[in-house]
């Protein structure tokens, strides 16, 4: 994404959180992570891209008061196709253990911050490749697939299921419009928003689902509505992945580079968008803040404590002696106090140029560190907030297994 003059460009988020370094224990192969908030802290489950199957195993906690990361207890087993949500004051992680498709086993574990310990739960009846989410007090599994001995086949019926944390029972409660594996799912009150996910064909090859669904709870069942037309048009040549977060006004999409179809395909200076359901909007619109001036790979998002947070990776490349890198930035609402422990910047008079990032402890400003190979994925977390971004709860996103040929 080309740099533009500061007085014309969309402002970058100005809050920077330094991620742990490899010397501190963060795997050098991390390309993305699952992020959520609990008890005033952030919890990150990074995925080690260098491991072909089970790359999710380490848990990190960020303390905003100390501006520091601490590694917590590892998962009992490394998992693939992992997703994470908050339920009853604990982190719940669902994924699969094993090295080959035909030998995977579902795993459901919960983490208690008070004891820094994991507990395993009965997952024998849970579908493979599903995403776990807390929807208004109900633990749901969304999407899923079964392995037929040769290839994965998406579940097309009953792929929205309720999980009873006490008995381990699984009850079908609805169906997605299209079956898909490990979709991105966020909950906003008693409704869900489902995007992306893998769809396998008869040969076993997978493509990304283009369908974006809104799922509404009706009694004990869930009914869907196709909102794919609301998505911003993807600019040619960019990876079709983005993060989702549920916020007070609607749903935020982060990481997509879009074009203005009515203006001859002009690339927009946006990478973060809001579907403002509270005001009846029918399509995502740019929020006039962007996470980075480089494309975001493997973005995911969550909303917590008045902030929109987006873990992502940039791809470092050299062009004319220049290394293009990402930053971990963020912005707080300048017109309204939101609950939380973050410093609120004082607004300046009138329109302001894009500010320099505010860097936390550690050097995260230049994320392509010495020794990074060309083409390496460099992780970051961006933070943003505003009146329309006030968090209403914890959102959940899942990642499909890393595929090195996707880019």
């Amino acid at each position: 994404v080309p740099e533009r003059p500061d007085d014309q460009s969309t402002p970058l988020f100005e809050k920077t959180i330094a991620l742990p370094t490899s010397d501190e224990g963060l795997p050098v192969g991390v390309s993305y992570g699952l992020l959520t908030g609990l008890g005033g802290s952030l919890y990150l489950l990074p995925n080690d891209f260098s491991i072909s199957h089970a790359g999710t195993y380490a848990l990190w906690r960020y303390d905003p008061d100390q501006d520091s990361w601490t590694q917590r207890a590892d998962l009992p087993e490394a998992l693939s196709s992992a997703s994470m949500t908050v339920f009853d004051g604990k982190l719940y992680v669902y994924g699969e253990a094993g090295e080959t498709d035909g030998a995977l086993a579902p795993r459901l574990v919960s983490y208690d911050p008070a004891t820094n310990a994991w507990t395993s739960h009965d997952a024998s009846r849970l579908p493979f490749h599903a995403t776990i989410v807390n929807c208004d007090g109900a633990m749901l599994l969304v999407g899923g697939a079964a392995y037929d001995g040769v290839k994965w086949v998406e579940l097309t019926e009953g792929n929205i299921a309720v999980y009873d944390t006490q008995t381990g029972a699984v009850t079908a409660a609805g169906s997605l419009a299209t079956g898909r594996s490990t979709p991105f799912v966020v909950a906003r009150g008693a409704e869900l928003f489902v995007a992306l996910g893998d769809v396998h064909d008869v040969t076993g090859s997978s493509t990304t689902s283009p369908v974006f669904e809104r799922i509404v709870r009706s009694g004990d069942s869930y009914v869907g509505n196709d909102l794919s037309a609301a998505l911003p048009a993807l600019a040619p040549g960019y990876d079709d992945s983005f993060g989702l977060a549920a916020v007070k006004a609607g749903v935020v999409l982060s990481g997509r580079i879009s074009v203005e179809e009515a203006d001859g395909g002009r690339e927009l200076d946006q990478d973060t968008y809001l579907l403002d359901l509270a005001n009846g909007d029918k399509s995502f619109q740019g929020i006039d803040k962007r996470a980075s001036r480089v494309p975001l790979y493997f973005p995911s998002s969550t909303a917590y404590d008045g902030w929109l947070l987006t873990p992502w990776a940039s791809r470092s490349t050299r062009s004319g002696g220049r290394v293009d890198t990402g930053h971990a930035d963020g912005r707080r609402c300048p017109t309204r106090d939101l609950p939380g422990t973050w410093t609120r910047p004082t607004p300046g008079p009138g329109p302001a140029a894009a500010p320099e990032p505010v860097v936390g402890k550690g050097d995260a400003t230049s994320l392509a560190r010495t020794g990074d190979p060309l083409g390496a994925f460099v992780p970051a977390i961006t933070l943003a907030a505003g009146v329309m971004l006030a968090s209403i709860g914890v959102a959940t996103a899942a990642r499909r297994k890393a595929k090195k040929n996707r880019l």
Side-chain angles (χ1 to χ4, degrees), residues 18-33 44-48 57-60 69 71 369 377-381:
L19 289 176
T21 66
S22 58
D23 291 339
E24 294 168 325
L26 189 72
V28 295
V30 167
S31 59
Y32 62 80
L44 175 69
L45 269 178
N47 186 83
D48 189 344
Y57 53 86
L59 178 68
W60 290 80
W69 290 93
Q71 190 166 1
R369 305 182 186 91
F377 292 103
V378 186
I381 296 178

Side-chain angles (χ1 to χ4, degrees), residues 84-168:
M84 178 169 62
T85 194
V86 171
F87 189 85
D88 196 24
K90 299 178 181 179
L91 300 177
Y92 276 76
V93 177
Y94 178 61
E96 294 148 18
E99 295 298 323
T100 60
D101 287 339
L104 297 179
R107 295 287 189 264
L108 177 64
V109 294
S110 62
Y111 174 80
D112 187 345
T115 61
N116 187 34
W118 292 91
T119 300
S120 297
H121 302 271
D122 180 14
S124 60
R125 287 167 278 186
L126 301 185
F128 289 102
H129 290 14
T131 297
I132 194 170
V133 61
N134 180 350
C135 182
D136 199 28
M139 183 81 83
L140 301 183
L141 279 300
V142 181
Y147 192 67
D148 67 3
V150 178
K151 63 184 182 302
W152 289 101
V153 179
E154 273 66 44
L155 305 178
T156 57
E157 298 292 334
N159 50 19
I160 302 175
V162 180
Y163 175 79
D164 188 322
T165 57
Q166 299 300 314
T167 67

Side-chain angles (χ1 to χ4, degrees), residues 72-331:
R72 309 304 288 162
D74 285 351
L75 274 69
E77 295 177 271
L79 301 177
S80 62
S81 300
S83 55
M84 178 169 62
T85 194
V86 171
F87 189 85
D88 196 24
K90 299 178 181 179
L91 300 177
Y92 276 76
V93 177
Y94 178 61
E96 294 148 18
E99 295 298 323
T100 60
D101 287 339
L104 297 179
R107 295 287 189 264
L108 177 64
V109 294
S110 62
Y111 174 80
D112 187 345
T115 61
N116 187 34
W118 292 91
T119 300
S120 297
H121 302 271
D122 180 14
S124 60
R125 287 167 278 186
L126 301 185
F128 289 102
H129 290 14
T131 297
I132 194 170
V133 61
N134 180 350
C135 182
D136 199 28
M139 183 81 83
L140 301 183
L141 279 300
V142 181
Y147 192 67
D148 67 3
V150 178
K151 63 184 182 302
W152 289 101
V153 179
E154 273 66 44
L155 305 178
T156 57
E157 298 292 334
N159 50 19
I160 302 175
V162 180
Y163 175 79
D164 188 322
T165 57
Q166 299 300 314
T167 67
V170 180
T171 305
S175 301
L176 299 173
T178 59
R180 57 183 103 177
S181 298
T182 58
F184 278 28
V185 185
V186 296
R188 179 177 177 265
E191 60 183 359
L192 301 171
F193 294 86
V194 183
L196 302 174
D198 286 340
V199 178
H200 295 80
D201 62 21
V202 294
T203 70
S205 298
S206 66
T207 57
T208 300
S209 173
V211 179
F212 176 55
E213 294 184 61
R214 182 183 191 181
I215 312 293
V216 179
R217 183 175 179 177
S218 177
D220 293 331
S221 62
Y222 294 82
V223 180
N225 181 30
D226 190 337
L227 292 185
S228 302
L231 294 173
L234 179 66
Y238 289 98
D239 186 50
D240 187 14
S241 65
F242 51 83
L244 286 178
V247 296
K248 184 176 181 180
V251 182
V252 172
L253 180 156
S254 57
R256 171 169 279 199
I257 303 299
S258 185
V259 294
E260 178 58 65
E261 294 179 300
D263 192 19
R266 177 180 61 88
E267 189 175 295
L268 296 177
D269 187 14
Q270 303 280 347
D271 64 9
T272 306
Y273 309 81
L274 172 72
L275 178 60
D276 191 348
L277 298 170
N279 288 316
D281 283 4
K282 302 298 183 183
S283 61
F284 283 91
Q285 302 296 323
I287 67 170
D288 294 325
K289 303 173 187 176
R290 64 180 302 157
S292 175
R293 300 222 180 277
V294 297
L296 276 58
Y297 292 95
F298 308 113
S300 62
S301 293
T302 192
Y304 182 69
D305 209 13
W307 286 87
L308 169 71
L309 305 106
T310 302
W312 56 280
S314 67
R315 191 166 188 172
S316 62
T317 59
R318 282 185 171 85
S319 177
R322 179 171 180 264
V323 179
D324 296 324
T325 63
H327 301 280
D329 311 319
R331 165 164 293 191

Side-chain angles (χ1 to χ4, degrees), residues 6-7 9 11 348-355:
D6 285 348
D7 60 349
S9 62

